[in-house]
Amino acid sequence: AEVGDITPQILSLKDSKARVFVALLQSVDFQTLMREAKNYGLFNPNNVWLCSDACSQNFIQYNITAFPNQTLLVKDTLNSIQGMLGVTVPNDVKSDKFKFIVDTYQRTNNVSFFTSTPPMYDGFYTLGYALDLLLKQNLAPIPNNVLSAIRNVSFAGSTGWVDFDSNCERRPAYDIINVWRGLECPECLGLHPTDIFVPVGRWNHSSGLNMYRPVHFFDGTTKIPDLNLHRPFDYFDCKDGRKKTDETGKTIDLEKPKWGAGNIDADYFCDEYLDCDDMSDEPYDCVPSFKILFIVYGIITGLLILFTILVFVPFTILFGFIIPRRRVRASSPLFLLIIIVSGVVGYGSTYAWY
């Protein structure tokens, strides 16, 4: 396989039958994943994709693939990720620092800046504030002192309010963003009209999750996909007399074989037991076939009934009453006729099983 070939991994994901996929990837790697996942149909109305802040960036729409020999049609691929959800550090688009970044970046590079720039900007500001505190306290800028100073830093940055906990970790806030295909929303991020991610909610450590826009999924609607995954299974429909498959794995309720049963497990088909009222679960092509067996038994039983009526009844009447014979008279002709009738009824009763 060539460098960057992830086909085996994609096939493994497809075979897993999973419906929720989480991509913890950089944007350049996610572009490769988008292409392969699209080719194998993993972007579809039944699946939901979640992307980390590293790949929930607007520059995934540009051709930054690390494998230039593998042509990536980014625009075509982006049409496949409608409905994808991601998280990103929020940008305070109204703050002076954010406006400064945008103006400076566009003036210097003549392009819209990458959305990963504000966090880096605030990171340098944090370090600057920490070093300023150390200078004011006449402390050396060694690592332990810098970490202690960072715990006391707080300011309004380009990504919102910046402050830190006792572990020197920033108290987080994240925007929940959603890919809206074919819908321009330039005001959503306040950057430029080509933004593909639309903020739909925000989470922070103090107030939790707040969703303020509906999430659009792959089909462009706000209807939540059915993620209650069940494996398909085969069953036998006694009413229709044929095997079927429940593709959803949860639509059909199986019943135990009994009188009046409707849908039974497919394993009961041709199991040499009668599980449906009309014997439809044991058709002619079963080996052995109960229908063929019952037909043979029925024919033999019918012949026995005819033989009994056509031979034994005339014999008993002839030699018991018309031309009496000692042995027949000794056995009581009337009793013999009762025995014969009982035999005919007994043979006939077996038809109730067919």
Side-chain angles (χ1 to χ4, degrees), residues 262-277:
N263 301 312
I264 60 176
D265 194 291
D267 290 340
Y268 291 115
F269 182 73
C270 287
D271 64 345
E272 301 183 18
Y273 290 91
L274 297 179
D275 304 298
C276 295
D277 301 347

Side-chain angles (χ1 to χ4, degrees), residues 43-350:
F43 290 113
N44 62 63
N46 297 319
N47 293 343
V48 172
W49 282 80
L50 307 176
C51 198
S52 67
D53 58 337
C55 56
S56 299
Q57 304 290 339
N58 282 308
F59 53 81
I60 67 168
Q61 62 194 300
Y62 307 121
N63 197 348
I64 58 172
T65 176
F67 310 106
N69 60 317
Q70 300 175 20
T71 303
L72 176 64
L73 300 176
V74 180
K75 291 183 179 180
D76 293 340
T77 306
L78 286 177
N79 290 332
S80 303
I81 63 172
Q82 159 71 26
M84 187 178 75
L85 287 161
V87 294
T88 188
V89 177
N91 295 322
D92 187 356
V93 296
K94 296 181 180 180
S95 69
D96 292 336
K97 288 185 174 63
F98 186 86
K99 293 177 181 177
F100 172 78
I101 297 174
V102 174
D103 294 341
T104 303
Y105 202 98
Q106 290 181 338
R107 184 171 61 253
T108 304
N109 301 284
N110 197 29
V111 294
S112 298
F113 78 101
F114 289 168
T115 50
S116 59
T117 304
M120 291 189 290
Y121 180 86
D122 286 347
F124 283 112
Y125 247 92
T126 298
L127 181 59
Y129 278 123
L131 293 175
D132 182 63
L133 287 174
L134 293 179
L135 289 174
K136 290 178 180 179
Q137 298 174 10
N138 293 320
L139 296 175
I142 60 176
N144 288 340
N145 289 343
V146 173
L147 290 177
S148 297
I150 287 177
R151 294 188 183 95
N152 297 316
V153 170
S154 61
F155 64 96
S158 61
T159 59
W161 188 254
V162 179
D163 62 346
F164 299 87
D165 60 20
S166 59
N167 294 322
C168 208
E169 295 181 355
R170 182 178 176 179
R171 293 186 174 90
Y174 289 101
D175 273 339
I176 312 300
I177 53 181
N178 184 207
V179 176
W180 286 9
R181 182 177 59 201
L183 179 61
E184 293 186 357
C185 187
E187 77 283 359
C188 293
L189 288 179
L191 299 178
H192 47 83
T194 56
D195 291 334
I196 60 172
F197 289 101
V198 176
V200 294
R202 177 169 291 186
W203 180 92
N204 61 47
H205 71 284
S206 58
S207 58
L209 179 64
N210 174 34
M211 301 295 292
Y212 49 80
R213 284 193 182 94
V215 174
H216 288 68
F217 295 96
F218 183 87
D219 58 2
T221 70
T222 58
K223 182 180 179 182
I224 300 175
D226 183 8
L227 302 177
N228 186 14
L229 179 64
H230 292 262
R231 292 188 180 277
F233 65 87
D234 296 329
Y235 67 96
F236 187 83
D237 188 337
C238 289
K239 306 299 183 183
D240 290 348
R242 58 193 180 95
K243 293 179 71 173
K244 299 179 180 179
T245 300
D246 182 359
E247 297 293 346
T248 68
K250 58 184 178 182
T251 302
I252 299 299
D253 293 325
L254 296 180
E255 304 176 52
K256 291 183 178 180
K258 60 181 179 180
W259 184 264
N263 301 312
I264 60 176
D265 194 291
D267 290 340
Y268 291 115
F269 182 73
C270 287
D271 64 345
E272 301 183 18
Y273 290 91
L274 297 179
D275 304 298
C276 295
D277 301 347
D278 56 359
M279 299 189 298
S280 58
D281 61 308
E282 299 293 332
Y284 297 113
D285 51 352
C286 289
V287 180
S289 172
F290 270 89
K291 285 190 175 181
I292 295 176
L293 182 64
F294 286 160
I295 289 173
V296 173
Y297 280 174
I299 293 174
I300 293 175
T301 302
L303 292 175
L304 290 174
I305 292 174
L306 288 176
F307 182 82
T308 301
I309 293 174
L310 296 177
V311 175
F312 289 147
V313 171
F315 178 87
T316 302
I317 293 175
L318 178 63
F319 294 108
F321 299 101
I322 299 175
I323 306 176
R325 289 291 184 267
R326 180 182 304 175
R327 290 183 179 277
V328 175
R329 295 291 300 177
S331 300
S332 176
L334 182 60
F335 176 74
L336 292 176
L337 287 174
I338 294 175
I339 294 296
I340 292 170
V341 171
S342 299
V344 171
V345 173
Y347 284 138
S349 67
T350 61

